[in-house]
Amino acid sequence: MSTPSPNFKHQDSQPWYKNYMVIIFVIGLPAFVVVACIFFVYYSYQIRDSVVRDDWYMDGKTLYHDVSRDKLTYDLDIHGDMRFSDSGDITFYLNYPEQSMQTGKLKNGTALTYPDTLDLSISHATDIKKDRDVVLTHQEDNKYTAQVDIDPLTAKYYLQVSSDGADDWRMRDVARLPRSKVSFDPLPVFGKSG
């Protein structure tokens, strides 16, 4: 008795390109992956991280050229207190040493004067959009004021108050803002004898 041979000539009722599995796996999935890649490339470009400082390389190169301003702050023994209000008002008090107040001269021999304006730079640690540069205006005695809008979320900021007048000094501090008060003191590194 002979067994019938298998029929390999069996054909589907529809051609291959009309099969739903071909449409889903051969055409649909690669098309979905291409569209998803294009979307994520566009999205990552739109939300890219900002460069905190555009000229960070030049800042690094000039680091040692710029410490003279910090050294002058230490030599003159200048201090400062900054107060922040909830309404965005900043009050800065420029404090000269008691000896300079009595003699009317700074420690380098120049006359003690209060500059008309001071520059204030408030730099967010990671987001350049939250950086603020304002001018502190002299009001009376050692008092300076300005108005600035600081982001209400607590974050790390780099603060710098500087004078570009005859005595070119600057004070720097790092603080978590918002807060009510920040104190500026000369960098103690210049007091160490090496």
Side-chain angles (χ1 to χ4, degrees):
M1 183 144 173
S2 66
T3 60
S5 61
N7 184 3
F8 291 111
K9 295 183 180 180
H10 177 269
Q11 290 187 343
D12 288 334
S13 61
Q14 60 184 2
W16 68 270
Y17 56 84
K18 290 186 177 179
N19 189 333
Y20 75 94
M21 297 296 259
V22 171
I23 294 172
I24 291 174
F25 291 108
V26 177
I27 298 171
L29 282 179
F32 174 76
V33 169
V34 169
V35 170
C37 286
I38 291 170
F39 169 75
F40 283 118
V41 166
Y42 172 77
Y43 183 69
S44 64
Y45 179 76
Q46 291 298 321
I47 64 161
R48 67 187 180 277
D49 292 336
S50 63
V51 178
V52 176
R53 296 279 307 216
D54 289 337
D55 53 354
W56 61 270
Y57 177 70
M58 292 306 291
D59 285 348
K61 283 177 62 176
T62 60
L63 176 67
Y64 295 106
H65 298 259
D66 211 24
V67 296
S68 62
R69 299 177 77 194
D70 299 317
K71 176 85 165 86
L72 183 60
T73 303
Y74 178 83
D75 291 342
L76 298 177
D77 195 23
I78 300 174
H79 298 264
D81 290 313
M82 185 174 292
R83 293 189 173 89
F84 297 89
S85 72
D86 293 335
S87 62
D89 293 326
I90 293 179
T91 306
F92 178 75
Y93 296 95
L94 178 61
N95 301 321
Y96 290 119
E98 189 63 36
Q99 176 188 356
S100 296
M101 297 297 290
Q102 291 173 355
T103 62
K105 292 190 175 191
L106 297 175
K107 288 189 172 183
N108 63 358
T110 60
L112 186 147
T113 58
Y114 290 100
D116 292 333
T117 60
L118 297 174
D119 296 322
L120 170 62
S121 173
I122 303 173
S123 301
H124 191 274
T126 58
D127 190 356
I128 196 170
K129 295 174 192 157
K130 296 180 181 179
D131 291 356
R132 303 289 182 260
D133 291 321
V134 296
V135 175
L136 295 164
T137 307
H138 185 240
Q139 300 300 318
E140 58 183 358
D141 298 330
N142 65 339
K143 181 180 177 181
Y144 292 81
T145 59
Q147 178 78 26
V148 69
D149 181 32
I150 297 176
D151 191 74
L153 295 174
T154 303
K156 180 179 179 181
Y157 286 87
Y158 298 96
L159 305 168
Q160 175 179 299
V161 177
S162 60
S163 172
D164 295 329
D167 293 318
D168 189 15
W169 53 263
R170 75 172 171 197
M171 291 184 271
R172 296 187 292 174
D173 200 0
V174 179
R176 296 189 68 78
L177 298 180
R179 68 190 300 173
S180 60
K181 182 180 176 184
V182 175
S183 294
F184 292 85
D185 294 312
L187 296 176
V189 69
F190 298 110
K192 296 178 181 176
S193 57

